[in-house]
Amino acid sequence: MGRIFNFAAGPSMLPEEVLKKAAGELLDYRGTGMSVMEMSHRSKVYEGIIASAEARLRKVMGICDSYKVLFLQGGASQQFAMVPMNLLSKDETADYINTGSFAKNAIKEAKIIRKVNVIASSEEAGYTFIPEGYRITDGARYLHITTNNTIEGTKFPDIPEVGIPLVADMSSNILSERTDVDKFGLIYAGAQKNLGPAGVTIVIIRGDLIRDDITEYPAIFRYRTHADGASLFNTPPTYSIYMVDLVLEWLEDIGGIAEIEKRNLKKAKMLYDCLDDSKVFIAGARKKDRSIMNITFKTGNDELDGKFVKGAEAIGMTALKGHRSVGGMRASIYNAMPEAGVEKLIDYMKTFEKNI
Ligand SMILES: Cc1ncc(COP(=O)(O)O)c(C=O)c1O
């Protein structure tokens, strides 16, 4: 059958060029006689790989020297805990906005560590929009947001400017469009959507937010440890970081963030236009808050939704089933999803609609 269009929410498609390059270097990485997987993380060659990944990320995202870039493990879920562990001392609090299942998880985990204020939520409306008109709590040390809500298909249309450090879970839209990193105190993201394979988590943190006065947690959970150790405090996920470097190289080669943003906006518009023109499919998110990465929709009839997903699978489009908490369909169209994949999905949607 060959390669299919994989609409999964993550892990998800990787650029074919990247997979081919990795395959070519699998047995013998650039004359070293070994795979990157077999290489010591303390070797000169590997130090070059991790330094390259960091340099490319800094260049592609425009991250200035006052920020540290860390390659960690434990996924975005570990950051749900590490953020409050590192940014809040005993009597300090933080504000959170509850915009989806992962935001809710971040809140739940942070509450185990410190006191958290949920200053806005769209939970009661099924997370179909991004709330507005909230107020920062006096004394809150940071505001946590989930810039793109993977399961519900919403995205913050604008980045809030609130006068306290903004902490963002950017797992599902990092590198999808231009981002002004200076607006954030801390950005974190699991790699398995736009950055590379699962296993590595990126943390971008403003240097002055790394605290030395909170000493109650083991070294592995402190940003200071990883910043001082250049992400080599312990064995990092070496192969995943190498793959991130290749993905970033691919991104540079195609024209960087500006080009991928153009492609992503086009793909998302094609799909949303199709949904808006349809008499059968209904888009899941409020128009102004629509994600350009995860597009949720449904017919309103579970049986018909099931038929749609099954039919897509049969012609080489996989993982279009929506998350069980939302139902319906979800098309995750990350950076590596070619326009041809979106075209094929739209053709199928139109044919499906005609035939019911
Ligand atoms: C927005 C968001 N946050 C957090 C997570 C959890 O990430 P991980 O599985 O890397 O812990 C995900 C996973 O899909 C996500 O999409």
Side-chain angles (χ1 to χ4, degrees), residues 13 43 55 59 62 80 89 95 104 106-107 119 139 148 158 160 207 209 224-225 258 270 273:
M13 286 183 88
S43 64
K59 188 162 154 243
F80 295 166
S89 69
D95 284 355
K104 194 175 174 182
I107 292 163
I119 59 164
N148 185 82
D158 303 298
L209 294 177
R224 168 63 68 209
T225 305
M270 285 162 60
D273 282 352

Side-chain angles (χ1 to χ4, degrees), residues 130-132 147 155-159 177 286 288-290:
I130 301 291
E132 293 154 275
T147 48
K155 164 186 116 125
F156 272 76
D158 303 298
I159 298 305
E177 58 186 340
R286 180 169 77 176
K288 75 189 273 271
D289 303 326
R290 286 172 167 178

